[in-house]
Amino acid sequence: MSAHVLKPGLLSTLQDRGRRGHAAIGVGRTGAMDVPAWRLANALVGNRGEEAALECTLLGPTLRFEHAAWVAITGAPIAARVDDTALPNWAACHLPAGSVLQLGHMATGCRSYLAVRGGFDVAPVLGSRSSDLHAGLGYASGRPLQAGDSLPIGRTAADTAPTDRPRALPWRLNPQPWFDVLQAPLMLLSGSHEAQLDAASRQQLGTGTFRVGSASNRTASRLDGARLQLRAPQELISEATLPGTVQLPPSGQPIVLMAEAPVTGGYPRIGQLAAVDLPRLAQRRPGDPVCFRHGTLAQAADRLRRRDQALDTLCRQIEQRLQHDGFLTA
Protein backbone atom coordinates (compact mmCIF):
# COMPACT_ATOMS: atom_id res chain seq x y z
CA MET A 1 0.00 0.00 0.00
CA SER A 2 1.29 3.45 -0.82
CA ALA A 3 0.45 7.06 -1.56
CA HIS A 4 2.05 8.71 -4.59
CA VAL A 5 3.03 12.38 -4.47
CA LEU A 6 1.70 14.24 -7.53
CA LYS A 7 2.39 17.73 -6.13
CA PRO A 8 4.51 18.22 -3.00
CA GLY A 9 2.96 21.40 -1.58
CA LEU A 10 5.05 24.18 -0.11
CA LEU A 11 6.85 22.22 2.63
CA SER A 12 5.52 18.74 3.38
CA THR A 13 7.43 16.39 5.67
CA LEU A 14 6.77 13.16 7.53
CA GLN A 15 6.66 13.63 11.31
CA ASP A 16 5.93 11.61 14.42
CA ARG A 17 6.55 12.51 18.07
CA GLY A 18 10.23 13.07 17.37
CA ARG A 19 13.74 11.71 17.71
CA ARG A 20 14.38 12.08 21.43
CA GLY A 21 17.27 11.05 23.64
CA HIS A 22 20.13 11.70 21.19
CA ALA A 23 21.23 15.22 22.15
CA ALA A 24 24.52 13.84 23.50
CA ILE A 25 25.54 12.94 19.94
CA GLY A 26 24.28 16.24 18.53
CA VAL A 27 20.94 15.00 17.16
CA GLY A 28 17.93 17.17 17.97
CA ARG A 29 14.34 16.18 18.64
CA THR A 30 12.52 17.29 15.47
CA GLY A 31 8.99 15.76 15.24
CA ALA A 32 5.58 17.36 14.72
CA MET A 33 5.46 21.11 15.35
CA ASP A 34 1.88 20.79 16.65
CA VAL A 35 1.89 17.56 18.66
CA PRO A 36 -1.80 17.68 19.75
CA ALA A 37 -2.93 18.05 16.12
CA TRP A 38 -0.65 15.15 15.10
CA ARG A 39 -2.01 12.95 17.91
CA LEU A 40 -5.64 13.70 17.12
CA ALA A 41 -5.22 13.08 13.39
CA ASN A 42 -3.80 9.65 14.21
CA ALA A 43 -6.52 8.95 16.77
CA LEU A 44 -9.27 9.75 14.24
CA VAL A 45 -8.08 7.02 11.88
CA GLY A 46 -7.61 4.46 14.63
CA ASN A 47 -3.84 4.63 14.97
CA ARG A 48 -2.76 3.86 18.52
CA GLY A 49 1.00 4.42 18.62
CA GLU A 50 3.72 6.58 17.16
CA GLU A 51 2.65 6.48 13.50
CA ALA A 52 4.09 9.11 11.19
CA ALA A 53 1.73 11.64 9.63
CA LEU A 54 2.28 14.25 6.97
CA GLU A 55 2.94 17.79 8.21
CA CYS A 56 1.88 20.34 5.57
CA THR A 57 2.93 24.00 5.64
CA LEU A 58 0.68 26.78 4.26
CA LEU A 59 -0.04 24.86 1.02
CA GLY A 60 -0.74 21.14 1.03
CA PRO A 61 0.26 18.41 -1.42
CA THR A 62 -1.72 16.34 -3.92
CA LEU A 63 -1.56 12.58 -3.33
CA ARG A 64 -2.91 9.54 -5.18
CA PHE A 65 -3.81 6.59 -2.96
CA GLU A 66 -3.12 3.27 -4.62
CA HIS A 67 -5.47 1.37 -2.30
CA ALA A 68 -8.52 2.36 -0.29
CA ALA A 69 -7.54 4.27 2.85
CA TRP A 70 -8.90 6.06 5.88
CA VAL A 71 -7.44 9.53 6.40
CA ALA A 72 -7.95 12.47 8.75
CA ILE A 73 -6.82 16.09 8.59
CA THR A 74 -6.29 18.29 11.66
CA GLY A 75 -4.39 21.44 12.58
CA ALA A 76 -4.79 24.59 10.49
CA PRO A 77 -7.99 24.56 8.41
CA ILE A 78 -7.19 23.49 4.86
CA ALA A 79 -9.29 22.85 1.77
CA ALA A 80 -9.39 19.13 0.93
CA ARG A 81 -11.03 17.58 -2.14
CA VAL A 82 -11.26 14.32 -4.01
CA ASP A 83 -12.63 15.17 -7.47
CA ASP A 84 -15.83 17.15 -6.78
CA THR A 85 -16.18 15.97 -3.16
CA ALA A 86 -15.04 18.29 -0.38
CA LEU A 87 -13.73 16.50 2.71
CA PRO A 88 -14.12 17.91 6.23
CA ASN A 89 -11.23 18.55 8.57
CA TRP A 90 -11.14 16.94 12.02
CA ALA A 91 -13.04 13.84 10.83
CA ALA A 92 -12.20 10.35 9.57
CA CYS A 93 -12.71 10.07 5.80
CA HIS A 94 -12.69 6.99 3.59
CA LEU A 95 -10.96 7.22 0.22
CA PRO A 96 -11.60 4.56 -2.44
CA ALA A 97 -8.65 3.01 -4.25
CA GLY A 98 -7.22 5.37 -6.86
CA SER A 99 -8.44 8.54 -5.11
CA VAL A 100 -6.51 11.74 -5.75
CA LEU A 101 -6.56 13.89 -2.61
CA GLN A 102 -5.91 17.58 -3.21
CA LEU A 103 -4.96 19.73 -0.24
CA GLY A 104 -5.05 23.47 -0.89
CA HIS A 105 -4.13 26.65 0.97
CA MET A 106 -4.65 27.26 4.67
CA ALA A 107 -6.92 30.21 5.32
CA THR A 108 -5.50 30.68 8.82
CA GLY A 109 -2.75 28.97 10.71
CA CYS A 110 0.43 27.49 9.33
CA ARG A 111 0.47 23.69 9.62
CA SER A 112 -2.00 20.89 8.90
CA TYR A 113 -1.60 17.17 9.58
CA LEU A 114 -2.70 14.33 7.33
CA ALA A 115 -2.82 10.94 9.03
CA VAL A 116 -3.61 7.65 7.30
CA ARG A 117 -4.72 4.47 9.02
CA GLY A 118 -1.60 2.35 9.45
CA GLY A 119 0.67 5.39 9.30
CA PHE A 120 3.21 6.33 6.67
CA ASP A 121 5.50 3.35 7.11
CA VAL A 122 8.91 4.67 6.09
CA ALA A 123 12.05 3.26 7.72
CA PRO A 124 12.77 4.70 11.18
CA VAL A 125 16.11 6.38 11.87
CA LEU A 126 17.28 6.45 15.50
CA GLY A 127 13.84 5.31 16.59
CA SER A 128 11.80 7.90 14.68
CA ARG A 129 10.28 8.34 11.22
CA SER A 130 10.47 12.13 11.49
CA SER A 131 12.23 14.10 8.78
CA ASP A 132 15.00 16.38 10.08
CA LEU A 133 15.61 18.90 7.31
CA HIS A 134 18.92 20.20 8.65
CA ALA A 135 20.48 16.97 9.91
CA GLY A 136 19.35 15.06 6.82
CA LEU A 137 17.69 12.27 8.81
CA GLY A 138 14.50 10.42 7.94
CA TYR A 139 12.72 9.66 4.67
CA ALA A 140 14.85 10.49 1.61
CA SER A 141 17.66 11.82 3.82
CA GLY A 142 15.31 14.21 5.57
CA ARG A 143 14.26 16.29 2.57
CA PRO A 144 10.69 17.57 2.01
CA LEU A 145 8.41 15.62 -0.28
CA GLN A 146 8.94 15.87 -4.02
CA ALA A 147 6.69 15.00 -6.94
CA GLY A 148 7.18 11.33 -7.80
CA ASP A 149 7.76 10.16 -4.22
CA SER A 150 5.93 7.02 -3.14
CA LEU A 151 5.07 6.81 0.55
CA PRO A 152 4.44 3.31 1.96
CA ILE A 153 1.43 2.88 4.22
CA GLY A 154 1.33 0.36 7.05
CA ARG A 155 -1.00 -2.57 6.56
CA THR A 156 -4.14 -2.76 8.69
CA ALA A 157 -7.28 -4.85 8.93
CA ALA A 158 -9.70 -4.66 6.01
CA ASP A 159 -11.69 -1.47 5.62
CA THR A 160 -15.14 -1.36 7.19
CA ALA A 161 -18.00 -0.58 4.81
CA PRO A 162 -15.89 0.51 1.84
CA THR A 163 -17.56 2.69 -0.78
CA ASP A 164 -16.92 3.74 -4.36
CA ARG A 165 -16.96 7.42 -3.42
CA PRO A 166 -15.17 9.39 -0.72
CA ARG A 167 -17.16 9.69 2.49
CA ALA A 168 -16.65 10.96 6.01
CA LEU A 169 -17.87 9.47 9.26
CA PRO A 170 -20.95 11.40 10.47
CA TRP A 171 -19.15 13.02 13.41
CA ARG A 172 -16.11 15.23 13.79
CA LEU A 173 -14.05 16.89 16.51
CA ASN A 174 -14.47 20.47 17.63
CA PRO A 175 -11.14 22.13 16.71
CA GLN A 176 -11.67 25.14 19.00
CA PRO A 177 -9.82 23.75 22.05
CA TRP A 178 -6.88 22.70 19.89
CA PHE A 179 -6.45 25.58 17.45
CA ASP A 180 -5.67 29.07 18.78
CA VAL A 181 -7.91 31.20 16.58
CA LEU A 182 -7.67 34.25 18.88
CA GLN A 183 -3.84 34.14 18.99
CA ALA A 184 -3.78 34.87 22.72
CA PRO A 185 -0.51 35.72 24.54
CA LEU A 186 2.01 32.93 25.05
CA MET A 187 3.48 32.06 28.46
CA LEU A 188 7.15 32.96 28.83
CA LEU A 189 9.46 31.82 31.62
CA SER A 190 12.47 33.90 32.61
CA GLY A 191 15.71 33.03 30.84
CA SER A 192 19.18 32.97 32.35
CA HIS A 193 20.11 36.23 30.60
CA GLU A 194 16.80 38.12 30.81
CA ALA A 195 18.17 40.33 33.61
CA GLN A 196 20.89 41.49 31.21
CA LEU A 197 18.31 43.24 28.98
CA ASP A 198 17.97 46.98 29.41
CA ALA A 199 14.78 48.27 31.03
CA ALA A 200 13.02 49.17 27.77
CA SER A 201 13.78 45.75 26.28
CA ARG A 202 12.49 43.90 29.35
CA GLN A 203 9.29 45.92 29.10
CA GLN A 204 8.94 45.16 25.38
CA LEU A 205 9.55 41.44 25.88
CA GLY A 206 6.89 41.17 28.56
CA THR A 207 4.17 43.44 27.19
CA GLY A 208 4.97 44.35 23.57
CA THR A 209 3.87 42.81 20.29
CA PHE A 210 6.14 41.07 17.80
CA ARG A 211 5.35 39.63 14.37
CA VAL A 212 6.42 36.25 13.01
CA GLY A 213 9.14 36.94 10.46
CA SER A 214 9.20 35.59 6.92
CA ALA A 215 12.47 33.75 7.62
CA SER A 216 10.79 31.51 10.24
CA ASN A 217 11.00 27.75 9.74
CA ARG A 218 11.00 24.46 11.64
CA THR A 219 14.22 25.46 13.39
CA ALA A 220 13.09 28.80 14.79
CA SER A 221 10.33 31.40 14.71
CA ARG A 222 12.04 34.73 14.08
CA LEU A 223 10.21 37.65 15.66
CA ASP A 224 10.13 41.08 14.05
CA GLY A 225 9.44 44.19 16.12
CA ALA A 226 11.25 46.52 18.47
CA ARG A 227 14.96 45.76 18.68
CA LEU A 228 15.93 44.35 22.08
CA GLN A 229 19.25 45.31 23.64
CA LEU A 230 21.47 44.07 26.43
CA ARG A 231 22.75 46.46 29.10
CA ALA A 232 26.30 45.42 28.16
CA PRO A 233 27.84 43.08 25.58
CA GLN A 234 28.06 39.43 26.64
CA GLU A 235 30.78 36.92 25.79
CA LEU A 236 29.15 33.50 26.12
CA ILE A 237 30.03 29.88 25.53
CA SER A 238 27.54 27.54 23.90
CA GLU A 239 25.09 25.89 26.27
CA ALA A 240 22.25 23.43 25.91
CA THR A 241 19.13 24.62 24.10
CA LEU A 242 15.80 22.98 23.35
CA PRO A 243 12.50 23.81 21.65
CA GLY A 244 11.08 26.97 23.24
CA THR A 245 14.41 28.57 24.11
CA VAL A 246 14.23 32.30 23.29
CA GLN A 247 17.58 33.63 22.09
CA LEU A 248 18.73 37.14 21.29
CA PRO A 249 21.12 37.29 18.31
CA PRO A 250 23.15 40.42 17.47
CA SER A 251 20.30 41.74 15.29
CA GLY A 252 18.26 42.39 18.44
CA GLN A 253 15.28 40.48 16.99
CA PRO A 254 14.53 37.48 19.25
CA ILE A 255 14.22 33.96 17.90
CA VAL A 256 12.23 31.14 19.49
CA LEU A 257 13.73 27.71 18.81
CA MET A 258 11.21 25.20 17.48
CA ALA A 259 11.05 21.46 16.73
CA GLU A 260 14.36 21.31 14.86
CA ALA A 261 16.20 23.32 17.50
CA PRO A 262 19.96 22.76 17.66
CA VAL A 263 21.10 21.06 20.86
CA THR A 264 23.47 23.91 21.81
CA GLY A 265 23.61 27.66 21.18
CA GLY A 266 25.74 30.63 22.15
CA TYR A 267 23.30 33.56 21.96
CA PRO A 268 21.91 35.04 25.19
CA ARG A 269 18.91 33.05 26.44
CA ILE A 270 16.37 35.67 27.45
CA GLY A 271 13.40 33.34 27.98
CA GLN A 272 11.85 29.91 27.64
CA LEU A 273 8.47 29.49 26.01
CA ALA A 274 6.19 27.19 28.02
CA ALA A 275 6.01 23.80 26.30
CA VAL A 276 2.21 23.93 26.28
CA ASP A 277 2.36 27.00 24.02
CA LEU A 278 4.84 25.65 21.45
CA PRO A 279 2.05 24.27 19.22
CA ARG A 280 0.30 27.63 19.37
CA LEU A 281 3.41 29.43 18.16
CA ALA A 282 3.91 26.74 15.50
CA GLN A 283 0.53 27.73 14.02
CA ARG A 284 1.44 31.42 13.69
CA ARG A 285 2.24 32.25 10.07
CA PRO A 286 4.51 35.06 8.84
CA GLY A 287 2.97 38.40 9.83
CA ASP A 288 0.90 36.99 12.70
CA PRO A 289 1.25 38.75 16.08
CA VAL A 290 3.11 37.22 19.02
CA CYS A 291 2.75 38.54 22.57
CA PHE A 292 4.32 37.10 25.70
CA ARG A 293 3.15 37.16 29.28
CA HIS A 294 5.47 35.98 32.04
CA GLY A 295 4.57 32.92 34.07
CA THR A 296 6.18 30.56 36.56
CA LEU A 297 7.52 27.06 36.07
CA ALA A 298 4.73 25.72 38.30
CA GLN A 299 2.08 27.44 36.17
CA ALA A 300 3.62 26.14 32.95
CA ALA A 301 3.83 22.58 34.30
CA ASP A 302 0.21 22.71 35.49
CA ARG A 303 -1.07 23.93 32.12
CA LEU A 304 0.89 21.21 30.31
CA ARG A 305 -0.41 18.53 32.67
CA ARG A 306 -4.02 19.64 32.23
CA ARG A 307 -3.68 19.80 28.45
CA ASP A 308 -2.14 16.33 28.24
CA GLN A 309 -4.85 14.91 30.48
CA ALA A 310 -7.53 16.41 28.24
CA LEU A 311 -5.77 15.09 25.15
CA ASP A 312 -5.43 11.58 26.61
CA THR A 313 -9.11 11.60 27.56
CA LEU A 314 -10.20 12.73 24.10
CA CYS A 315 -8.06 10.08 22.38
CA ARG A 316 -9.69 7.39 24.54
CA GLN A 317 -13.13 8.75 23.69
CA ILE A 318 -12.29 8.70 19.98
CA GLU A 319 -11.14 5.08 20.24
CA GLN A 320 -14.35 4.11 22.04
CA ARG A 321 -16.47 5.87 19.42
CA LEU A 322 -14.62 4.16 16.58
CA GLN A 323 -15.14 0.79 18.28
CA HIS A 324 -18.84 1.57 18.75
CA ASP A 325 -19.13 2.45 15.06
CA GLY A 326 -17.45 -0.80 14.05
CA PHE A 327 -14.40 1.01 12.74
CA LEU A 328 -12.08 -0.72 15.24
CA THR A 329 -12.13 -4.07 16.98
CA ALA A 330 -11.80 -3.91 20.74
Side-chain angles (χ1 to χ4, degrees):
M1 296 178 64
S2 59
H4 301 282
V5 181
L6 304 182
K7 296 180 181 179
L10 186 60
L11 177 66
S12 304
T13 61
L14 294 176
Q15 302 295 338
D16 56 21
R17 193 183 296 272
R19 191 169 285 109
R20 302 189 178 213
H22 302 288
I25 59 172
V27 178
R29 299 184 183 187
T30 192
M33 293 275 278
D34 185 342
V35 170
W38 163 76
R39 279 195 64 186
L40 291 171
N42 272 316
L44 282 167
V45 294
N47 292 336
R48 299 173 179 174
E50 297 294 315
E51 290 88 350
L54 193 58
E55 180 180 276
C56 314
T57 309
L58 295 176
L59 172 67
T62 298
L63 308 173
R64 184 179 70 249
F65 286 83
E66 179 183 322
H67 296 87
W70 284 93
V71 301
I73 303 164
T74 62
I78 188 171
R81 303 190 67 84
V82 173
D83 296 327
D84 59 347
T85 302
L87 301 180
N89 292 190
W90 300 88
C93 302
H94 180 267
L95 306 183
S99 294
V100 174
L101 174 62
Q102 302 176 65
L103 299 180
H105 291 83
M106 299 168 199
T108 60
C110 191
R111 293 174 173 91
S112 300
Y113 292 84
L114 171 68
V116 59
R117 190 177 187 193
F120 291 104
D121 196 21
V122 300
V125 177
L126 295 177
S128 171
R129 293 179 171 84
S130 289
S131 296
D132 188 324
L133 300 175
H134 293 285
L137 300 176
Y139 173 75
S141 298
R143 65 161 170 77
L145 295 191
Q146 294 179 358
D149 285 346
S150 182
L151 305 177
I153 296 173
R155 295 193 174 275
T156 61
D159 288 322
T160 57
T163 62
D164 293 331
R165 292 184 57 80
R167 71 176 181 91
L169 292 184
W171 55 273
R172 55 175 294 190
L173 299 183
N174 175 15
Q176 191 277 328
W178 309 104
F179 186 72
D180 184 17
V181 176
L182 298 179
Q183 300 182 335
L186 309 176
M187 181 179 287
L188 186 69
L189 310 183
S190 294
S192 55
H193 301 106
E194 183 181 5
Q196 303 303 316
L197 292 171
D198 63 27
S201 296
R202 289 199 303 273
Q203 177 75 13
Q204 174 66 21
L205 181 64
T207 63
T209 299
F210 299 90
R211 298 277 173 180
V212 176
S214 59
S216 299
N217 51 35
R218 283 181 46 84
T219 299
S221 286
R222 302 177 184 274
L223 304 183
D224 295 336
R227 185 174 182 272
L228 305 185
Q229 298 184 21
L230 301 174
R231 290 187 286 109
Q234 296 286 312
E235 290 290 337
L236 304 173
I237 62 172
S238 291
E239 295 184 8
T241 58
L242 71 161
T245 298
V246 184
Q247 295 183 304
L248 186 65
S251 67
Q253 304 297 157
I255 59 175
V256 185
L257 299 183
M258 301 300 285
E260 290 191 20
V263 298
T264 61
Y267 293 143
R269 290 166 295 284
I270 59 174
Q272 180 69 35
L273 183 65
V276 70
D277 282 339
L278 274 168
R280 297 174 58 210
L281 180 57
Q283 290 293 1
R284 306 282 171 94
R285 59 201 289 153
D288 280 350
V290 175
C291 301
F292 298 113
R293 296 295 181 268
H294 279 85
T296 67
L297 180 59
Q299 290 170 332
D302 181 63
R303 287 185 58 211
L304 183 62
R305 176 186 57 79
R306 288 187 284 112
R307 186 207 69 183
D308 285 349
Q309 286 178 343
L311 189 56
D312 290 343
T313 298
L314 181 55
C315 286
R316 287 194 298 269
Q317 292 172 340
I318 292 171
E319 183 176 8
Q320 292 168 0
R321 180 66 184 269
L322 293 177
Q323 289 174 352
H324 179 269
D325 292 347
F327 183 80
L328 293 175
T329 56

